[in-house]
Amino acid sequence: MAITNRFGSKGWTPERISSLEGKTYLITGANSGTGFEASKILLSKGAKVVMLNRNPKKSADAIAALKQELGSDADVLFIQMDLAEQASVRKAADEVLKTLPRIDALICNAAIAQVPKQQFTVDGFESQLGVNHYGHFLLQGLLHPRLEESKGRIVVVGSMGYNLGIKTIQFDDINWDKNYHANNVYSQSKLAQIMAVYELQDRLKKAGKNDVQVYACHPGASSTSLITTSGSLMMRFVWYLMTLSPFVQSAEKGAYPELMCATEPDLDQKGFYGPTGRGYWTGPVGECNLEPHAKDKPVAEKLWALSEKETGFKWNL
């Protein structure tokens, strides 16, 4: 059943954001695409933006482009972090905690997708699960104390890909050694990210910790470099053709759901947000239906325990 969009026929837009002077936002994967566009809009509202990116050169170029467009006083900086290396995530989190007295929102935007052949992170995780889920799971946990002090938010950018693939977590072969499939593994990684959002909400509530709000959203089909960065040649070609169609929107519009979750007052954490048009590819931003398998409690609890074990990080909940 369709959900009525509380923001009207045009959906949520950044015009709803008031001044963000004095507020600080962290965004992973902000060199380009939705992360870059979200950074630009936050900066235009007066916020401080800290990019958590892997590539220093691309980060410098992105910051130069933002300052050229918004002015040299745009408050944006970069901390190097590679989500594929748990040690790098820990190092970046240490720097954040040493240098930033407040975090109004951590936006977990970075991702890799459709990796054609099985690859592993330096920690031995299948690459898509390692980068998209384990990297962000650890980062959220390490920064939670500062987010709690700031009464901040965690925003996880999932994907409608969660509703493809096997629609659960393949615990008996978590690295997909026996049946690797680029799309199924990507789907599993995005499902894991989304399941962890609602599991974290439950655990925070049970612990009586109500200061941090946690949201899940998706960008729809947006014209970014996600597929061209890690996908196969065939997938890149198919994606290129799709970007020429009306089924793919701009990266700027793809950034709206994460911006909404980071800034909109009184947004229900239980929702799942993104474009609400046909297939949730494009359209007005609002609340989307979330299929029941994304809130399968026994699977979510098992995933949480596995994630704490694999990252070596136990949440204080």
Side-chain angles (χ1 to χ4, degrees):
M1 185 174 67
I3 299 173
T4 301
N5 195 326
R6 58 174 280 201
F7 303 108
S9 60
K10 292 184 178 179
W12 188 94
T13 64
E15 283 71 29
R16 291 184 59 87
I17 304 176
S18 56
S19 171
L20 299 177
E21 292 283 349
K23 295 191 174 184
T24 300
Y25 295 85
L26 269 64
I27 308 182
T28 66
N31 281 340
S32 62
T34 54
F36 180 82
E37 298 297 334
S39 298
K40 186 192 302 183
I41 292 171
L42 291 169
L43 290 166
S44 74
K45 301 290 185 179
K48 178 187 186 74
V49 172
V50 180
M51 298 175 162
L52 298 173
N53 298 329
R54 180 179 56 181
N55 189 309
K57 173 65 169 60
K58 291 182 178 179
S59 299
D61 291 345
I63 288 174
L66 288 168
K67 286 182 176 289
Q68 183 174 28
E69 182 169 345
L70 300 172
S72 59
D73 59 345
D75 194 358
V76 54
L77 56 89
F78 151 71
I79 292 175
Q80 187 172 17
M81 183 187 73
D82 186 349
L83 285 164
E85 296 183 19
Q86 297 272 296
S88 175
V89 175
R90 290 180 180 275
K91 183 180 178 182
D94 281 346
E95 187 170 348
V96 168
L97 294 174
K98 287 176 183 174
T99 57
L100 298 178
R102 65 177 292 156
I103 305 171
D104 291 277
L106 166 64
I107 304 176
C108 299
N109 167 82
I112 59 173
Q114 308 290 343
V115 178
K117 295 182 179 179
Q118 186 187 37
Q119 296 181 20
F120 297 95
T121 69
V122 295
D123 303 291
F125 307 136
E126 183 285 317
S127 62
Q128 294 180 81
L129 189 66
V131 170
N132 299 345
H133 174 59
Y134 287 143
H136 281 125
F137 181 89
L138 177 60
L139 182 65
Q140 292 168 34
L142 293 169
L143 297 184
H144 180 259
R146 185 58 40 83
L147 285 157
E148 192 170 34
E149 294 167 2
S150 311
K151 299 185 185 301
R153 300 183 178 191
I154 295 172
V155 179
V156 172
V157 181
S159 164
M160 286 307 297
Y162 88 92
N163 201 29
L164 304 173
I166 62 173
K167 300 185 181 183
T168 190
I169 306 299
Q170 186 172 276
F171 290 111
D172 61 347
D173 184 15
I174 197 71
N175 278 341
W176 295 65
D177 294 329
K178 300 174 183 174
N179 56 346
Y180 186 85
H181 184 284
N183 187 60
N184 288 348
V185 177
Y186 172 67
S187 298
Q188 176 182 254
S189 75
K190 302 311 285 187
L191 175 61
Q193 283 190 274
I194 293 169
M195 296 188 91
V197 165
Y198 300 105
E199 182 62 18
L200 176 56
Q201 289 178 3
D202 289 349
R203 289 173 184 254
L204 289 171
K205 184 178 180 181
K206 187 176 180 181
K209 295 176 177 287
N210 303 312
D211 288 335
V212 176
Q213 295 179 303
V214 192
Y215 294 94
C217 64
H218 74 90
S222 302
S223 183
T224 71
S225 61
L226 177 64
I227 299 298
T228 55
T229 299
S230 50
S232 67
L233 287 175
M234 177 59 75
M235 185 58 70
R236 295 179 198 186
F237 178 67
V238 171
W239 177 245
Y240 168 73
L241 295 178
M242 288 179 63
T243 61
L244 303 178
S245 77
F247 301 112
V248 176
Q249 62 186 355
S250 68
E252 179 186 347
K253 288 189 175 179
Y256 288 3
E258 60 192 82
L259 287 167
M260 175 176 70
C261 291
T263 63
E264 179 66 27
D266 303 321
L267 194 65
D268 184 4
Q269 295 181 80
K270 295 298 182 185
F272 178 56
Y273 301 97
T276 58
R278 188 174 182 179
Y280 294 162
W281 288 33
T282 63
V285 172
E287 185 174 353
C288 304
N289 287 309
L290 186 69
E291 295 301 320
H293 69 271
K295 290 188 175 181
D296 186 321
K297 190 65 176 172
V299 174
E301 289 177 339
K302 191 172 181 178
L303 173 66
W304 188 273
L306 177 66
S307 301
E308 287 191 331
K309 174 178 176 290
E310 296 289 33
T311 61
F313 179 84
K314 187 168 181 59
W315 285 67
N316 183 28
L317 296 175

